[in-house]
Amino acid sequence: MSRRLVSLTLDTLEDLPRPCRQCVHWELDPVSADRACAAGDPGLEKEAWVSQTLLEWGSCGKLAYVDGMPAGFVMYAPPAYVPRSMAFPTSPVSADAALLMTAHVVAPFAGGGLGRMLVQGVARDLTKRGIKAIEAFGDAKFGDEGDPAGGCVAPADFFLSVGFKTVRQHPRFPRLRLELRTALSWKSDVEYALEKLLGSMSPETLLRPVRPAPATRSTGG
């Protein structure tokens, strides 16, 4: 099974699940979002938002593919680009963080670690751009009947499972935070340990096991 991660572009935007492709919950303020939905084609507004954000800020999403099939995605941006971010009771997002707007893994691929893979992809991208943290609004009652967010807010449990910590409690929409140095430290630690191990070994010992030195008998004085 092959997995790959790609950045969101106007081309890969078409690989989002159709309900997500047509959703402008995050991209517009509540009044504008209702107006766009009433007009009949919110997908045009979403495309315009992605285009503007790509031009002004850069990469704002990641998609995961499994054996060539779109299997999940995340979207993220500075809170200034996300009008809905100010509508939450636990806003605002911290000044040093980007907002992870939403995360979704297609049901047949759930439980395989794609969510963590997507978040780590976001962490690598944002670290290169000098951003210190990712924050997100989680839904503590995801899937309940009468969901006010319509499933557009990812479960708080998901964010907690991939390393986020709660920074502002709320019974429905807690705000969570992931320090990027924490998100990437496991990878750098493993790479450092491997480099140290390989650096201490000669090419000959890499190819064949090292034989133990023969035991020597100690003599009394």
Side-chain angles (χ1 to χ4, degrees):
M1 182 181 293
S2 65
R3 297 181 175 190
R4 65 188 179 99
L5 210 60
V6 305
S7 294
L8 177 69
T9 65
L10 292 178
D11 294 329
T12 57
L13 178 64
E14 301 307 318
D15 284 341
L16 266 58
R18 182 163 181 78
C20 302
R21 172 65 179 85
Q22 297 294 316
C23 177
V24 286
H25 177 86
W26 290 100
E27 293 82 359
L28 301 177
D29 64 81
V31 173
S32 299
D34 289 343
R35 189 180 298 127
C37 291
D41 196 358
L44 289 176
E45 294 287 350
K46 192 179 193 82
E47 183 175 331
W49 183 90
V50 170
S51 178
Q52 180 182 2
T53 306
L54 286 171
L55 286 171
E56 296 180 359
W57 185 66
S59 179
C60 57
K62 298 287 182 186
L63 288 88
Y65 293 82
V66 176
D67 292 338
M69 296 289 293
F73 75 97
V74 291
M75 293 182 67
Y76 54 97
Y81 282 78
V82 189
R84 179 74 64 161
S85 68
M86 292 306 298
F88 285 82
T90 49
S91 62
V93 173
S94 302
D96 64 348
L99 175 65
L100 200 160
M101 299 151 57
T102 190
H104 177 76
V105 174
V106 179
F109 301 101
L114 285 181
R116 182 177 293 274
M117 175 182 168
L118 285 161
V119 170
Q120 287 171 345
V122 175
R124 284 192 291 272
D125 176 38
L126 294 180
T127 298
K128 293 175 184 176
R129 294 154 79 171
I131 295 173
K132 295 183 178 180
I134 311 169
E135 291 191 0
F137 299 103
D139 189 345
K141 299 180 180 179
F142 184 84
D144 283 8
E145 291 185 13
D147 181 357
C152 298
V153 182
D157 285 346
F158 162 72
F159 291 118
L160 293 171
S161 73
V162 296
F164 281 71
K165 305 294 183 185
T166 303
V167 291
R168 190 170 177 190
Q169 292 280 4
H170 187 268
R172 186 67 196 246
F173 296 118
R175 179 159 52 91
L176 306 104
R177 180 179 174 96
L178 178 66
E179 302 290 342
L180 293 185
R181 63 177 181 271
T182 301
L184 299 178
S185 63
W186 69 270
K187 184 174 184 290
S188 59
D189 288 348
V190 170
E191 288 178 342
Y192 173 75
L194 184 60
E195 288 173 1
K196 186 175 181 181
L197 173 65
L198 296 179
S200 67
M201 301 176 73
S202 68
E204 184 179 58
T205 58
L206 287 172
L207 295 175
R208 58 186 177 86
V210 178
R211 294 180 179 177
T216 57
R217 181 180 298 174
S218 60
T219 57

